[in-house]
Amino acid sequence: IFPGLINTHNHLWQTMLKGLGDDMGLIDWIRTLLVPTMPLIDDEAAYLGSAEVALARTIAYETFPSSTASSAP
């Protein structure tokens, strides 16, 4: 028996950016990857993030939506 995981801080809409720019500092990553892609991220990206959460056997999570994407149900 393994207890369910609870994720208290998640940005589901950023799932598509996972692993990109791992060699960058935070500010460079924000300027180079995050800011240019934010207008392109939609509800489908958040839905894919929800699927990733489910595959990780997470039983509860909190997501932080952006101004361009709403959180998935």
Side-chain angles (χ1 to χ4, degrees):
I1 296 175
F2 191 79
L5 303 173
I6 299 173
N7 185 341
T8 61
H9 187 112
N10 201 340
H11 299 270
L12 296 177
W13 53 275
Q14 290 181 343
T15 299
M16 305 308 287
L17 300 176
K18 185 178 278 187
L20 298 177
D22 283 346
D23 58 339
M24 300 174 142
L26 177 61
I27 301 303
D28 288 337
W29 181 82
I30 290 171
R31 289 181 183 152
T32 305
L33 292 170
L34 183 61
V35 172
T37 57
M38 281 183 69
L40 307 174
I41 297 172
D42 58 9
D43 289 339
E44 185 175 349
Y47 179 78
L48 291 172
S50 294
E52 181 181 58
V53 168
L55 288 172
R57 308 290 194 258
T58 303
I59 60 170
Y61 64 92
E62 174 70 29
T63 185
F64 295 87
S66 74
S67 59
T68 58
S70 61
S71 60

